[in-house]
Amino acid sequence: MPNPLHHLLDVLRLERVGDGDGSAADPEHFRGVSVHQPTGRVYGGQVLAQAVLAAGRTVPDGRLPHSLHGYFLRPGGLDVPIDFAVERLRDGRSFSARRTHAIQHGKPILSMISSFQELQGGIEHASRMPDAPPPEDVPSALDVLGGIDHPIARFWSHHSAFELRHVGGSLYLGPDHEPKDHQMVWMRSRGDVGDDQLLHRALMAYACDQVMLEPILRQSGTSWVTPDISIASLDHAMWWHRDVRVDEWLLYVQSASSAQGGRGLGAARVFAQDGTLVASIAQEGMIRVPAM
């Protein structure tokens, strides 16, 4: 296996394959491949990150993404590339808006609108980071799964581009013994990724998708290994408040406000290790357990 982070960075280098004018009838086109997944399907966070990067290639210099809203429409396959069609919805004096469709076999697997803004001053306010043990004191996925000879365990412990450390225990091997609707997770990439802030924000979109629905599992007494459980992201919303570095520890403070009808809503506030609030995230997912 190649270095997981280097492989991911290679996957995120999109190829421009069309010079459209950015209209709905003639969008700009980019193409990317996928990171191997033991599930056999494209990982949703990867498509989000690639869509952010494709849109970012079309905005004026100096504008960074501050929000995205996307819907996962179909599962993606690992056997063919993904095409990204970007429409230029608006370029104002401070903001740019883009619509991006990720397409396989002529059909969209993701539809996303993102907004970009120039650096500007304004009112400053942010929530405070709750108390949490430092990441060095929290077991990693490698600590929990490193000795298990199973393809998914090996993927999470050795072949993931990000290191995860769950405060209070993970859900990799079983449910929480004290069900609750919240959790905290430390996360960072397994190496330096440079100083491109667009790339850091796209990588955050990549990384967060793997944990957003866990508070729902934790509250319901289920886990990633619950027999016949079916989980899929349905939509994703994200707001970047400040510059972020994914190659430094970030604390995801997560909650789940509701679950019903085979769906659940997860939310997260993301803090740098110094307590700075850098992002807020929300995601609804499908979670189906046959016995429930």
Side-chain angles (χ1 to χ4, degrees):
M1 287 289 291
N3 177 287
L5 180 60
H6 294 171
H7 178 52
L8 172 59
L9 295 177
D10 286 341
V11 165
L12 295 182
R13 293 186 180 99
L14 303 179
E15 175 190 5
R16 181 183 284 273
V17 293
D19 294 319
D21 61 15
S23 66
D26 190 20
E28 298 178 62
H29 285 272
F30 302 85
R31 181 169 296 158
V33 295
S34 295
V35 176
H36 169 75
Q37 298 289 327
T39 61
R41 299 192 305 180
V42 173
Y43 166 56
Q46 173 206 299
V47 186
L48 277 175
Q50 290 171 314
V52 170
L53 291 169
R57 293 267 294 272
T58 72
V59 302
D61 290 342
R63 298 189 179 189
L64 289 169
H66 69 88
S67 69
L68 71 79
H69 300 266
Y71 281 89
F72 297 99
L73 303 175
R74 294 176 177 85
L78 299 174
D79 56 334
V80 296
I82 305 172
D83 290 324
F84 296 87
V86 182
E87 300 172 30
R88 297 178 180 236
L89 299 181
R90 182 176 185 269
D91 284 310
R93 290 182 295 177
S94 302
F95 293 87
S96 294
R98 297 291 185 266
R99 177 185 290 116
T100 305
H101 296 296
I103 300 168
Q104 281 188 324
H105 303 294
K107 296 180 179 181
I109 62 174
L110 171 79
S111 181
M112 183 190 82
I113 292 180
S114 51
S115 183
F116 298 73
Q117 184 190 14
E118 294 181 357
L119 180 64
Q120 294 178 310
I123 296 170
E124 280 287 333
H125 164 74
S127 299
R128 296 182 60 183
M129 185 173 77
D131 292 335
E136 296 78 13
D137 293 346
V138 180
S140 68
L142 180 61
D143 295 327
V144 177
L145 300 173
I148 299 175
D149 186 16
H150 186 279
I152 294 179
R154 287 195 299 272
F155 180 83
W156 279 95
S157 60
H158 292 88
H159 304 317
S160 172
F162 281 80
E163 181 179 0
L164 279 69
R165 297 180 176 230
H166 287 77
V167 176
S170 71
L171 301 177
Y172 296 132
L173 301 178
D176 193 327
H177 296 300
E178 298 180 359
K180 57 184 73 70
D181 64 357
H182 57 276
Q183 70 174 21
M184 293 191 291
V185 184
W186 287 105
M187 194 184 310
R188 71 174 176 185
S189 64
R190 296 182 186 270
D192 181 83
V193 298
D195 296 319
D196 182 352
Q197 186 57 209
L198 174 63
L199 179 60
H200 278 274
R201 297 188 187 200
L203 282 166
M204 175 179 276
Y206 175 93
C208 70
D209 187 40
Q210 59 194 317
V211 298
M212 286 302 300
L213 301 179
E214 285 189 333
I216 303 162
L217 302 182
R218 199 173 289 275
Q219 172 63 30
S220 64
T222 57
S223 74
W224 292 111
V225 294
T226 295
D228 299 321
I229 193 168
S230 179
I231 303 172
S233 303
L234 296 174
D235 63 15
H236 194 95
M238 193 163 183
W239 299 264
W240 294 272
H241 309 308
R242 295 165 182 84
D243 283 352
V244 59
R245 290 201 66 95
V246 296
D247 49 11
E248 298 177 358
W249 285 114
L250 297 170
L251 181 67
Y252 287 69
V253 179
Q254 299 181 246
S255 62
S257 58
S258 179
Q260 71 297 309
R263 308 187 322 275
L265 180 64
R269 294 174 295 153
V270 187
F271 296 87
Q273 196 169 3
D274 67 1
T276 302
L277 179 68
V278 296
S280 299
I281 314 168
Q283 184 182 99
E284 187 172 48
M286 180 198 77
I287 300 180
R288 292 176 175 163
V289 183
M292 289 187 173

